Amino acid sequence: DAGVTQSPTHLIKTRGQHVTLRCSPISGHKSVSWYQQVLGQGPQFIFQYYEKEERGRGNFPDRFSARQFPNYSSELNVNALLLGDSALYLCASSDRDSDRFSYEQYFGPGTRLTVT
Amino acid sequence: AQSVTQLGSHVSVSEGALVLLRCNYSSSVPPYLFWYVQYPNQGLQLLLKYTTGATLVKGINGFEAEFKKSETSFHLTKPSAHMSDAAEYFCAVSLNTGFQKLVFGTGTRLLVSP
C-alpha cells in the first residue's frame, strides 16, 4: 500500500502570496493532521481533521486554514505568507477515531515551503 | 500544558557503542510517549511507543525505551550503534485532549562515526 503522499515536494513563494499544500492519507485512514517543522525544531501541531470535520487546532494564526474532502484527502492553505512561514509542512494520517489519542500517526515526506 | 525536553541537540557515538538519547516530559496525567526518527529529506517514522502496560518498550531497528514515571523520563537506547542509525530523533507526547495532537521535543541529531 502507498504511504501518506504530499504535494508538491518543494515550493517557493513570495511574501504576501497564498499557498495550498495537499495530502493524501493512507487508504482507509479517516484522520489527517498537519504539522509545521521549522528548521532545527520539532514539528508543531497545526490541525487535525476527522471525517471532514476539524477536531483540533494548534496555536497558529487565522492565516492558516485546512479542509478535508470526502475521499479523506486534505489541503492546508496559508494566506499572506510571511518569511517565518518557511518550513517543512508534514501531513500525518491515522486509522483510528479522532479521540483515540494513543494510536500511531503515519507521516508523509513533507512539503518544503520557502518564502522569499 | 504538556511539554517534552530532549537533552543534547547532538549526540556522537562510535559504531558499535551504546546509544542513549534522553527525553523528559512534563504532564499532570499519564502520557502516551513516542520516539520518531527522521532521515534527511524524509518524514517521520515511528520507532516505538508507550501507552500502557510494560514500561520497557521495544521498537524497530533494535531500539528500546523505558518509561519511568518517577523520573518523568522516556530515554531511548540501543546497545550497538550502526552507521545507518545516523538521523534526527524526536521524542513526543500525546494526551487525551479529545483529538490527536503530538507535542514534540526539539530533536537530537545522532552522529555515528566509524
Side-chain angles (χ1 to χ4, degrees), chain A residues 79-110:
Chain A
N79 294 322
L81 285 167
L82 303 174
L83 294 179
D85 295 331
S86 296
L88 180 68
Y89 288 85
L90 296 164
C91 174
S93 75
S94 173
D95 65 352
R96 293 293 188 267
D97 293 342
S98 65
D99 62 348
R100 300 302 182 103
F101 49 92
S102 67
Y103 288 105
E104 177 179 353
Q105 294 190 45
Y106 296 80
F107 283 83

Side-chain angles (χ1 to χ4, degrees), chain A residues 31 33 35 37 40-43 45 48 55-56 88 90 94 97-105 107-109, chain B residues 32 34 36 38 41-46 49 51 90 94-107:
Chain A
S31 173
S33 298
Y35 290 81
Q37 185 179 16
Q41 298 184 18
F45 173 78
Q48 188 215 354
R55 295 303 182 96
L88 180 68
L90 296 164
S94 173
D97 293 342
S98 65
D99 62 348
R100 300 302 182 103
F101 49 92
S102 67
Y103 288 105
E104 177 179 353
Q105 294 190 45
F107 283 83
Chain B
Y32 289 73
F34 305 80
Y36 282 86
Q38 186 175 37
N41 301 314
Q42 294 188 25
L44 302 174
Q45 180 183 12
L46 181 70
K49 64 181 179 182
T51 53
F90 292 94
S94 174
L95 294 182
N96 184 8
T97 58
F99 57 91
Q100 291 177 335
K101 173 185 176 182
L102 290 172
V103 176
F104 287 88
T106 53

Side-chain angles (χ1 to χ4, degrees), chain B residues 81-96:
Chain B
H82 295 163
M83 296 295 291
S84 60
D85 294 327
E88 188 90 20
Y89 292 80
F90 292 94
C91 182
V93 62
S94 174
L95 294 182
N96 184 8

Side-chain angles (χ1 to χ4, degrees), chain A residues 3-19:
Chain A
V4 177
T5 59
Q6 295 185 240
S7 63
T9 304
H10 295 86
L11 200 55
I12 300 175
K13 291 287 189 177
T14 304
R15 277 177 299 175
Q17 286 187 318
H18 164 270
V19 68

Side-chain angles (χ1 to χ4, degrees), chain A residues 48-84:
Chain A
Q48 188 215 354
Y49 275 76
Y50 179 73
E51 288 279 21
K52 301 179 291 295
E53 292 186 2
E54 181 183 307
R55 295 303 182 96
R57 170 187 285 257
N59 187 26
F60 280 80
D62 292 342
R63 300 185 295 108
F64 289 76
S65 64
R67 56 179 175 169
Q68 187 177 33
F69 300 98
N71 66 353
Y72 303 112
S73 66
S74 178
E75 285 183 352
L76 175 69
N77 296 282
V78 186
N79 294 322
L81 285 167
L82 303 174
L83 294 179

